[in-house]
Structure formats: structure tokens, C-alpha cells
Amino acid sequence: MAKVYKQVPFAAIIPSPQTENEGMITGNWRFLRPVVDKGQCTECKTCYIYCPDACVNYAKDDGVSFNLKYCKGCGICSNVCPVGAISRVPELDFDE
């Protein structure tokens, strides 16, 4: 019996997903949540550059926010913030 192989795309480049996959949500294992003091934040976007999961969002009206569905709580954003505007708060302090 002959095996049938799926053809690999050119240069093995697979297109990125265009929709959210519920099986890929990784924020459930976080135990420290990043919280921004918006009065102290200078919107320098250093946290955006260093976030390995691209969870930092910027909006002109709201300022800095985090996509908590994918934030793993690594703390890189709070460590690189030059003004200390991002703190890490235990997840159990939140009702949601």
C-alpha cells in the first residue's frame, strides 16, 4: 500500500492563523497579572517591544492594556518599564 504525503508549501512557509483558536489560549497558567498605573506610564512602548507573546496593546484613548488570554505573566514588561508603571499582582486578587 502506497503512502500518500501532503505537499509541503513553498519554502515550508505555513500561513499564520487568521482566527483565534481556543485551544491555544495560554494565559490560564499565569499566577501574576501585569497591571499598569496609567498615570505613571509614559507610553514609551518598551514593554510592547520586549513582550515575547505580543500581549501589550496600545490605544490612543485607553493607553496601555494587556491581552490577558495570552499573557503568561513572565514579568518581562514590568522589569523593562523605565518608570516602574507596571506591577505584578496575584491572580487571586481579581474576581474574574
Side-chain angles (χ1 to χ4, degrees):
M1 180 184 266
K3 290 185 179 182
V4 178
Y5 293 101
K6 196 174 182 182
Q7 185 174 2
V8 177
F10 176 73
I13 297 173
I14 300 171
S16 63
Q18 300 299 316
T19 60
E20 187 174 90
N21 183 350
E22 292 296 322
M24 301 300 265
I25 293 176
T26 56
N28 296 334
W29 59 7
R30 176 186 62 247
F31 63 94
L32 292 173
R33 179 186 293 195
V35 177
V36 179
D37 180 359
K38 295 190 181 194
Q40 193 176 1
C41 179
T42 59
E43 296 187 13
C44 65
K45 298 183 174 83
T46 304
C47 55
Y48 172 80
I49 293 168
Y50 279 91
C51 181
D53 296 314
C55 295
V56 181
N57 302 319
Y58 279 94
K60 291 189 180 205
D61 298 334
D62 294 335
V64 179
S65 64
F66 296 94
N67 184 348
L68 296 176
K69 286 174 116 177
Y70 299 101
C71 174
K72 294 173 183 66
C74 66
I76 293 174
C77 56
S78 63
N79 290 336
V80 299
C81 182
V83 294
I86 302 172
S87 60
R88 297 172 70 201
V89 179
E91 278 293 326
L92 296 175
D93 291 353
F94 297 95
D95 293 334
E96 45 196 62

